[in-house]
Amino acid sequence: MFTFVRDLTPIPPVHDGKSWEGRTYSMFRAVHHTGDGYITYVRVCVDGMICIMRETFDARWQSRGDAQKMGAEVRAEDPRLVSVGEDLYVVFIGDSPFPGQFKCIWLLRDGAWEAVPLFVPGLNVIEKNWAPFEYKGKLMFVYNYDPLILLQCEPSTGKCTVIRGEIPFDTSKTFVRGGSNLLQTSDGGYVGFAHSRLPIEPSIRPGFLHLTHMVRLNAHLELESISEPVHYITENGETLRQTIQDPVSIWMEDGQIYSTANVRDNFCEMYKFSEQSWNARVRRMLETTRDAWYKDKTRQAVNK
């Protein structure tokens, strides 16, 4: 489960009564831990103008006051961060320069100003949800989890190659989609978080439900597992019940896994991850149940 650590929302949402997000909002805070602080990128929208914003923090999560907005010319959104060798890259969605494509994936080396659009023959009109990771010094992406499709991309040119699976593939019809970056584990495999997108009652905005799942690749880059939904526990100790719960970043700190999440397309929150056994999960269910009939029946059984 995820346990709430802190709120990292840079801009409070201002709703217009029409759109889901509002005309002013922020979401998708991607985080890279540097050892003595954090480099972050986040999607922001102020009065309808969409871009991403770079901001760094010290070890106590105090902003260093260096926020920079960029990418408004391509309406940059939904950043992810990945390290490849000594370089840190931000991966984001933006307007595509390629004929017949509306949105593509862009790549920008942290500290640079010239972004590169990523391309491989067979892409969809709208591309999103690529999950980045480093493999043997190369920039890789999980293009799709099930079936597993992997891309290897050259940062300097943006040219990508399919190394597992086949494209074209219509990712708009899949249920489990890329979320966070992936981290390499001690056994040579990779772990990260994805989100499932499930249609629900249209009257319940935005008409679909996003849940978070832990995903694992083995050392041979084969899909090993996709977990059941992982619950977020809020600051008040309750289970998060927002329809949108998107994992954004994953990193290790002091032996613990941390993650950021996009909540309701309006809030950026940081969580600590821990795996619970089934016994612990059932025990928590029993401790938090509010079913009076169940409690009464249990008490009667004990008295007998």
Side-chain angles (χ1 to χ4, degrees):
M1 68 177 182
F2 291 108
T3 304
F4 180 87
V5 176
R6 59 175 40 86
D7 179 64
L8 295 174
T9 307
I11 301 175
V14 178
H15 286 278
D16 54 12
K18 299 177 182 179
S19 62
W20 165 250
E21 303 94 342
R23 286 189 58 81
T24 295
Y25 61 83
S26 54
M27 64 174 90
F28 287 93
R29 172 89 74 170
V31 173
H32 172 73
H33 183 227
T34 63
D36 62 352
Y38 307 88
I39 298 172
T40 77
Y41 284 79
V42 61
R43 170 180 171 178
V44 297
C45 179
V46 179
D47 197 26
M49 186 185 77
I50 300 173
C51 63
I52 57 176
M53 182 175 75
R54 183 186 190 273
E55 184 179 14
T56 68
F57 295 80
D58 65 19
R60 297 183 179 180
W61 279 104
Q62 297 299 309
S63 175
R64 294 192 171 110
D66 57 357
Q68 297 174 289
K69 294 177 182 176
M70 59 190 75
E73 65 276 13
V74 295
R75 295 185 291 177
E77 59 183 51
D78 301 359
R80 302 294 195 274
L81 287 169
V82 60
S83 293
V84 181
E86 298 297 319
D87 293 320
L88 176 66
Y89 292 95
V90 55
V91 181
F92 61 91
I93 306 166
D95 294 343
S96 176
F98 302 119
Q101 190 179 46
F102 179 55
K103 293 287 185 179
C104 73
I105 303 296
W106 291 78
L107 185 72
L108 175 69
R109 182 175 58 82
D110 183 55
W113 286 97
E114 193 70 29
V116 177
L118 301 185
F119 180 79
V120 62
L123 293 180
N124 293 296
V125 173
I126 295 177
E127 284 295 343
K128 58 193 305 185
N129 300 317
W130 294 20
F133 65 102
E134 178 186 14
Y135 178 70
K136 296 183 178 181
K138 302 293 185 180
L139 173 62
M140 305 283 291
F141 291 93
V142 177
Y143 179 79
N144 191 73
Y145 275 106
D146 186 19
L148 185 63
I149 302 174
L150 301 178
L151 304 179
Q152 178 179 309
C153 297
E154 173 51 54
S156 62
T157 64
K159 182 180 179 180
C160 300
T161 305
V162 180
I163 66 166
R164 185 182 297 275
E166 296 180 355
I167 59 173
F169 180 81
D170 187 358
T171 54
S172 68
K173 297 180 180 179
T174 61
F175 292 101
V176 178
R177 304 177 175 195
S180 75
N181 55 302
L182 285 85
L183 293 180
Q184 190 164 29
T185 55
S186 59
D187 62 359
Y190 291 85
V191 63
F193 296 107
H195 75 272
S196 54
R197 188 177 191 269
L198 309 173
I200 57 176
E201 172 59 43
S203 63
I204 303 175
R205 299 185 73 182
F208 45 83
L209 174 68
H210 284 192
L211 298 174
T212 296
H213 306 259
M214 175 172 274
V215 289
R216 293 182 184 273
L217 305 182
N218 63 25
H220 303 292
L221 299 187
E222 299 166 327
L223 181 61
E224 189 171 277
S225 64
I226 300 175
S227 78
E228 63 183 42
V230 183
H231 295 293
Y232 291 86
I233 305 302
T234 68
E235 188 175 9
N236 298 325
E238 300 179 349
T239 300
L240 181 68
R241 299 190 183 279
Q242 292 286 351
T243 51
I244 300 299
Q245 305 172 23
D246 294 326
V248 180
S249 285
I250 178 175
W251 73 95
M252 291 290 296
E253 189 174 342
D254 298 326
Q256 296 282 337
I257 293 178
Y258 288 88
S259 179
T260 49
N262 163 49
V263 177
R264 201 217 169 274
D265 288 337
N266 277 161
F267 305 102
C268 310
E269 297 179 349
M270 175 178 167
Y271 289 84
K272 181 167 65 174
F273 174 77
S274 62
E275 292 187 279
Q276 284 188 324
S277 68
W278 275 106
N279 281 335
R281 297 183 196 188
V282 173
R283 184 181 300 111
R284 188 173 188 280
M285 289 170 60
L286 293 176
E287 290 172 348
T288 57
T289 183
R290 297 179 181 178
D291 190 330
W293 178 88
Y294 170 80
K295 288 186 176 180
D296 290 343
K297 289 295 184 180
T298 303
R299 191 178 299 110
Q300 292 173 14
V302 171
N303 291 337
K304 288 181 180 179

